[in-house]
Amino acid sequence: MNTPLSWIKAYVPEIDCTVQEYTDKMTLSGTKVEGFEKLDGSLDKIIVGKINKIEQHPDADKLVVCMIQINESGDEVQIVTGAPNVREGQKIPVVLDGGRVASDHSGNKVPGGTKIKKGKLRGVLSNGMLCSVQELGFDAERFPDADEEGIFILSDHETYKDAPIGSDAIELFGLRDTVFEYEVTSNRVDCFSVLGIAREAAATFRKPFIPPEIKETGNDEKASDYVQVEIQNEELCSRFVARVVKNIKLAPSPDWMQRRLSACGIRPINNIVDITNYVMEEYAQPMHAYDLDTIDGRKIIVRTAKDGEEFISLDGNKRILDSSMLMICDGKKPVGIAGIMGGENSMITGNIKTMLFEAACFNGTNIRLSGKKLGMRTDAQVKFEKGIDPNQTMEAMNRACQLIDQLGAGEVVGGAVDRYPGKREAVTIDYDVCKINELLGTNIDEEEMISYFEKIGLEADKEKKCVTVPTWRQDVVCMADLAEEAARFYGYDNIPVTLPVGKAAAGKLSLDAEIRNRLRNAAEQAGFSEGMTYSFESPKVYDKLLLASDDKLRENVFIANPLGEDYSIMRTTPLNGMLSSLALNYNRRNQSMKLYEMATVYLPKGLPLTELPDERVQLILGMYHSGDFFDMKGTVESVFEALHITVIPEYNPACSRPYLHPGRKADIIMGKDTVGYIGEVHPDVCENYDIGTKAYIAVIDLRELVAYADFDVKFKGLAKYPAVTRDISLVMKKNVLAGDIERIIRENGSRLLESFKLFDIYEGEQLGEDEKSLAYTIRFRASDRTLEEKDVTSVMDKILKKMKVIGAELRK
């Protein structure tokens, strides 16, 4: 955002400070000045002179000797020039001896300017130089009527012809000014306007803010008799204001307006275009003008485009539209891309008679996306993207019509067509002076704090202790924002240095963080090291894991702009990352490896995507040459113990996971939930990953596991009464699972069961070929008495009876 200081002073006339003071104070109050440029930085000692006499140079055919009057007293200096357009009696800009001009003799701008010294030209003394447009620092477009080969004739220009002789020409051209560049944050939409910056300057320097006085203009006619407006998409267009101007008179805009627009980096074109740009800079409200005679049916319809619809914009380019883009249309055709650019079919030409003036408020996100799709970027688009205030739309429109009337650019038709389906209301925020001071470490009294609020347009109610925030301050939404407003105008440099004040509070990790910490500790205590792998993967991973073509894990989220095919999908399983890490270590000749990772997987809820995928965190353990299946199983159970899980996990070997060894795999089940799986990696998968040894993995889903975690651990005293143990050796078929044996012991051991342990497995000559023997030590204890033989015998009989059901009997 660029603004000349003169434009700011138009609304804050009492500002009186140096350029550096303005820069420092505005930056400290929150409106950061990125830099500034003095427009007269390369100009010095340039005055208005008058050519009293011209004589031919005695030794040069193309040079003349001019006697230049430099003040009202009649003092003259002699200047030699080669300009072909000089005439006696003309007023011209003159740079005196020791002065500076903006360009060199070739017309190229020179930083700091070119110094002019008196000297002789072909033997004749010259005490200065007559200035051209370029030497004053202007482009040819600024004064199109000026002679490109000659000097700037002030007498031929309506604005400058009456300038007093000897007056400051730099001041005359409005160049005694400074343009400031501001770094405006995206939340301060109001500061993307000159009025917003001026309001901030008034509050910073504690001077009165005097905005332009807006008067509604117009004749006795009604705009609604000229045009109708219909908004079909109210979500993308919250307000649309239209006014009509007839009897248009295109002409150059006045010098003061051209100077202000040029200082903001906008090229003046004509009075109508310049007024729209002027109001856009002043209010941050983009506007657009249409030739009303080109609007079919005299009706404006705001609608979305049709897919494939074609439109030729003002720059002459054909645009292919889609149904997401908002368009301004008449009764038959599009006439403008909303918020971006008008159409060639309704542009303002020299033959215009009646003009339709538009000021609207469009959805910023939609404008940005539409501009990106079309490859367009305009000043109006930038303003809309920030999110303009619809409540200022009518005021900006009236300001533009007032300028049209003031400049005599046309006859404004009375009234306006205003479509505003859902008015934006101001918000009210409670304030507490004590809390704000406590937050800031200050001691600002209420009166002073309220004065800060009111200087920036926030209305305070001392009785209700609240502040009404105008709709153009979209960034103020809570008391902390009010504290920021108080701090920046009180002065950050005035806030004393104090120690932080606070109350003691008991800190606590969230349940999710506590579970993750405990899982990490358990894994690391078991000798595992943490790894981290990419969430982006290649679709080829599924083939390496031997997944079937219809496997659910193949349903994934594709990335719109991937780095390449190898990183084109979001992972649905952590296996690839772990196996790739194990393979890397194996091929780097690490003798053994144990790794774990808290890996996030992304499971789409449906394809094609209509909502965000289900993000789940899974703990994956992987190892080689560090143990076998049962060692991994022991690590998994130590992880469960770290979470104080009381539910005994079951292991189902009938799981269907193609990447695991057919005979050495199991789903981990708790209750009715499958919380993970464990197993040896399938040899073919190991070969695919270039792992030349057996590898083991275990995966646990944290979301499923959380339901069984219990940190409410209670102390249990030492047992007072002795325990009774029984050792049993059971014979069964080899396909009977040890887990089923242990489940029967747990379910039938009653309250007397304290613990049990498998201490022997036997397969050999004393048993059949398809039989095995499992031996357990079972411990019983009562908390209130010493157990008798009959107590233990009855429980054991019940356990052995249930064992027979699954084909397990006492070994003889």
Side-chain angles (χ1 to χ4, degrees):
M1 179 71 189
N2 293 351
T3 65
L5 183 58
S6 59
W7 202 348
I8 300 298
K9 285 186 174 181
Y11 309 129
V12 194
E14 294 185 19
I15 287 182
D16 184 17
C17 62
T18 66
V19 170
Q20 193 59 52
E21 287 174 344
Y22 181 89
T23 299
D24 294 341
K25 287 191 174 182
M26 290 294 284
T27 299
L28 281 174
S29 69
T31 308
K32 183 181 178 183
V33 177
E34 190 72 16
F36 59 82
E37 177 189 3
K38 292 185 176 181
L39 298 183
D40 61 349
S42 58
L43 304 174
D44 191 25
K45 296 180 71 174
I46 303 177
I47 64 169
V48 175
K50 181 182 178 182
I51 303 175
N52 286 341
K53 186 178 180 180
I54 300 177
E55 293 182 351
Q56 183 64 42
H57 193 287
D59 291 328
D61 293 338
K62 293 185 178 181
L63 298 178
V64 293
V65 181
C66 301
M67 297 305 296
I68 309 297
Q69 182 180 341
I70 59 173
N71 56 39
E72 294 289 353
S73 301
D75 295 333
E76 294 181 338
V77 295
Q78 178 176 287
I79 295 178
V80 178
T81 181
N85 62 334
V86 292
R87 303 289 184 273
E88 291 182 357
Q90 292 174 331
K91 288 183 180 180
I92 37 74
V94 179
V95 56
L96 302 177
D97 176 33
R100 286 177 292 123
V101 293
S103 64
D104 58 20
H105 296 296
S106 302
N108 300 316
K109 286 188 177 181
V110 177
T114 301
K115 194 167 186 176
I116 303 300
K117 296 181 180 180
K118 67 179 180 180
K120 291 184 178 181
L121 290 178
R122 302 292 292 269
V124 177
L125 182 66
S126 182
N127 293 289
M129 188 177 74
L130 308 185
C131 299
S132 66
V133 171
Q134 289 81 7
E135 286 160 343
L136 292 170
F138 296 113
D139 296 326
E141 293 177 344
R142 179 71 170 80
F143 296 102
D145 297 332
D147 191 333
E148 293 185 8
E149 301 297 328
I151 63 172
F152 187 19
I153 307 301
L154 302 180
S155 307
D156 296 342
H157 201 285
E158 188 67 28
T159 303
Y160 309 124
K161 66 180 182 179
D162 296 326
I165 297 173
S167 61
D168 185 356
I170 301 174
E171 179 71 31
L172 178 68
F173 292 118
L175 297 176
R176 296 289 187 197
D177 202 356
T178 303
V179 177
F180 292 92
E181 179 185 357
Y182 304 90
E183 181 183 332
V184 182
T185 55
S186 59
N187 64 318
R188 288 304 305 273
V189 178
D190 57 303
C191 286
F192 284 95
S193 67
V194 176
L195 284 174
I197 297 291
R199 188 182 291 108
E200 289 291 307
T204 298
F205 291 93
R206 305 189 182 187
K207 301 295 183 181
F209 172 61
I210 306 174
E213 184 179 353
I214 309 300
K215 294 181 180 179
E216 186 175 349
T217 59
N219 59 22
D220 295 333
E221 299 178 277
K222 294 182 179 180
S224 57
D225 293 335
Y226 282 79
V227 67
Q228 300 296 314
V229 176
E230 177 187 350
I231 301 177
Q232 293 185 357
N233 193 323
E234 296 179 359
E235 182 180 351
L236 300 183
C237 178
S238 56
R239 190 174 192 181
F240 194 103
V241 176
R243 295 199 68 176
V244 176
V245 182
K246 63 181 187 178
N247 302 324
I248 297 296
K249 300 174 184 177
L250 294 179
S253 54
D255 190 65
W256 61 267
M257 181 176 285
Q258 292 192 42
R259 286 203 307 266
R260 289 180 177 179
L261 290 176
S262 296
C264 293
I266 299 175
R267 180 172 63 89
I269 297 176
N270 58 49
N271 49 6
I272 297 299
V273 176
D274 291 353
I275 285 172
T276 62
N277 288 330
Y278 187 87
V279 175
M280 180 175 70
E281 292 300 307
E282 190 174 46
Y283 280 86
Q285 171 64 63
M287 310 186 75
H288 191 70
Y290 305 90
D291 187 340
L292 186 59
D293 292 331
T294 65
I295 304 299
D296 284 320
R298 297 290 180 97
K299 184 174 184 179
I300 291 293
I301 301 173
V302 185
R303 63 167 175 82
T304 51
K306 300 173 184 176
D307 288 327
E309 192 170 5
E310 295 182 355
F311 178 72
I312 299 178
S313 53
L314 272 174
D315 55 9
N317 292 321
K318 181 187 289 187
R319 311 289 180 179
I320 307 300
L321 312 174
D322 64 42
S323 57
S324 68
M325 301 175 185
L326 191 66
M327 301 296 294
I328 310 300
C329 307
D330 60 18
K332 293 183 179 179
K333 62 185 181 301
V335 294
I337 306 172
I340 301 177
M341 186 178 287
E344 194 176 61
N345 54 12
S346 61
M347 66 185 295
I348 301 295
T349 65
N351 299 322
I352 185 173
K353 297 179 180 178
T354 307
M355 177 183 71
L356 172 64
F357 228 171
E358 165 213 310
C361 185
F362 303 115
N363 180 276
T365 302
N366 179 263
I367 296 299
R368 179 181 179 277
L369 294 175
S370 298
K372 189 174 181 181
K373 290 178 181 178
L374 295 171
M376 303 176 72
R377 190 74 171 167
T378 63
D379 290 338
Q381 177 185 344
V382 172
K383 302 286 186 186
F384 280 118
E385 287 178 2
K386 306 301 180 184
I388 65 175
D389 176 22
N391 288 335
Q392 290 197 143
T393 303
M394 180 60 81
E395 183 178 348
M397 171 60 80
N398 290 336
R399 171 63 164 164
C401 291
Q402 182 184 34
L403 289 171
I404 287 176
D405 190 59
Q406 178 182 332
L407 304 185
E411 180 184 353
V412 180
V413 174
V417 179
D418 185 9
R419 297 290 177 265
Y420 194 4
K423 185 177 180 181
R424 181 184 294 178
E425 300 293 344
V427 298
T428 300
I429 301 173
D430 294 333
Y431 72 85
D432 186 318
V433 175
C434 293
K435 286 185 178 180
I436 291 176
N437 278 319
E438 184 179 350
L439 178 63
L440 299 178
T442 56
N443 190 25
I444 308 172
D445 62 50
E446 185 172 7
E447 291 295 334
E448 184 179 2
M449 193 176 293
I450 288 176
S451 71
Y452 297 149
F453 296 154
E454 292 178 343
K455 282 183 180 294
I456 53 175
L458 311 182
E459 298 179 4
D461 189 327
K462 289 181 63 176
E463 294 183 1
K464 296 181 179 179
K465 303 295 182 186
C466 64
V467 170
T468 300
V469 182
T471 51
W472 42 263
R473 280 304 299 271
Q474 301 174 28
D475 60 306
V476 181
V477 296
C478 62
M479 193 186 300
D481 296 322
L482 296 178
E484 181 184 4
E485 299 302 305
R488 64 193 188 97
F489 292 115
Y490 177 75
Y492 292 116
D493 52 334
N494 294 323
I495 297 177
V497 177
T498 58
L499 291 173
V501 177
K503 298 178 181 178
K508 183 180 180 181
L509 291 174
S510 66
L511 178 61
D512 180 66
E514 179 68 22
I515 287 175
R516 292 192 187 204
N517 283 347
R518 288 177 178 253
L519 292 178
R520 284 191 178 95
N521 290 338
E524 289 169 5
Q525 287 171 7
F528 286 76
S529 300
E530 186 170 15
M532 184 175 294
T533 58
Y534 285 117
S535 296
F536 301 160
E537 293 184 337
S538 167
K540 298 177 182 177
V541 165
Y542 303 133
D543 295 330
K544 294 175 70 174
L545 294 175
L546 309 181
L547 295 179
S549 58
D550 59 347
D551 196 295
K552 289 286 289 184
L553 293 179
R554 286 184 179 266
E555 298 177 5
N556 50 50
V557 178
F558 282 89
I559 300 168
N561 54 343
L563 298 174
E565 185 184 6
D566 288 345
Y567 302 97
S568 61
I569 63 171
M570 304 296 290
R571 66 183 174 190
T572 56
T573 173
L575 288 171
N576 177 66
M578 176 57 68
L579 293 176
S580 298
S581 298
L582 293 177
L584 178 65
N585 282 277
Y586 178 80
N587 288 288
R588 294 288 175 87
R589 299 187 179 181
N590 284 329
Q591 294 299 316
S592 61
M593 183 55 55
K594 300 172 79 173
L595 295 174
Y596 79 93
E597 181 184 3
M598 296 286 186
T600 303
V601 296
Y602 304 85
L603 307 176
K605 299 174 184 177
L607 291 176
L609 283 177
T610 57
E611 56 182 322
L612 292 175
D614 183 15
E615 297 185 27
R616 306 176 77 97
V617 178
Q618 297 181 344
L619 169 67
I620 180 169
L621 303 163
M623 68 180 187
Y624 66 81
H625 287 175
S626 299
D628 57 14
F629 177 92
F630 297 102
D631 291 303
M632 181 64 82
K633 180 172 175 284
T635 301
V636 169
E637 292 181 351
S638 67
V639 166
F640 295 157
E641 289 177 5
L643 300 182
H644 302 292
I645 293 176
T646 56
V647 176
I648 306 300
E650 296 183 7
Y651 298 87
N652 180 15
C655 71
S656 56
R657 301 185 187 273
Y659 38 82
L660 296 180
H661 193 291
R664 299 163 192 166
K665 62 180 179 179
D667 281 338
I668 306 171
I669 299 172
M670 287 187 179
K672 296 181 180 180
D673 300 319
T674 300
V675 299
Y677 53 90
I678 183 175
E680 180 184 326
V681 179
H682 196 289
D684 291 344
V685 175
C686 283
E687 183 178 348
N688 291 339
Y689 280 91
D690 199 19
I691 302 175
T693 187
K694 293 180 179 179
Y696 300 89
I697 57 102
V699 177
I700 302 170
D701 191 296
L702 267 60
R703 185 181 300 177
E704 300 293 344
L705 196 63
V706 165
Y708 299 95
D710 182 11
F711 299 142
D712 186 18
V713 181
K714 294 183 173 61
F715 172 76
K716 187 176 181 181
L718 296 174
K720 295 181 180 180
Y721 301 96
V724 176
T725 60
R726 290 286 188 270
D727 291 343
I728 59 172
S729 180
L730 300 169
V731 178
M732 65 206 75
K733 298 293 185 182
K734 288 184 178 180
N735 61 1
V736 176
L737 300 178
D740 292 337
I741 299 294
E742 295 174 0
R743 178 176 50 80
I744 291 175
I745 295 175
R746 281 195 304 271
E747 292 177 355
N748 297 276
S750 75
R751 291 181 298 174
L752 302 179
L753 179 65
E754 183 177 78
S755 65
F756 60 88
K757 183 178 180 181
L758 176 68
F759 68 86
D760 182 60
I761 301 174
Y762 175 75
E763 295 179 9
E765 297 179 354
Q766 300 180 22
L767 300 175
E769 291 185 0
D770 61 342
E771 290 182 331
K772 65 180 177 181
S773 171
L774 302 180
Y776 285 89
T777 292
I778 305 176
R779 181 186 295 267
F780 300 96
R781 192 193 304 267
S783 60
D784 56 349
R785 61 191 174 89
T786 300
L787 291 177
E788 297 180 5
E789 179 67 24
K790 62 180 181 178
D791 297 324
V792 177
T793 300
S794 63
V795 174
M796 288 299 300
D797 289 344
K798 185 178 180 181
I799 291 174
L800 295 173
K801 183 178 180 181
K802 293 292 183 180
M803 292 292 181
K804 291 182 179 181
V805 175
I806 62 171
E809 297 182 349
L810 283 175
R811 182 178 174 186
K812 299 182 180 179

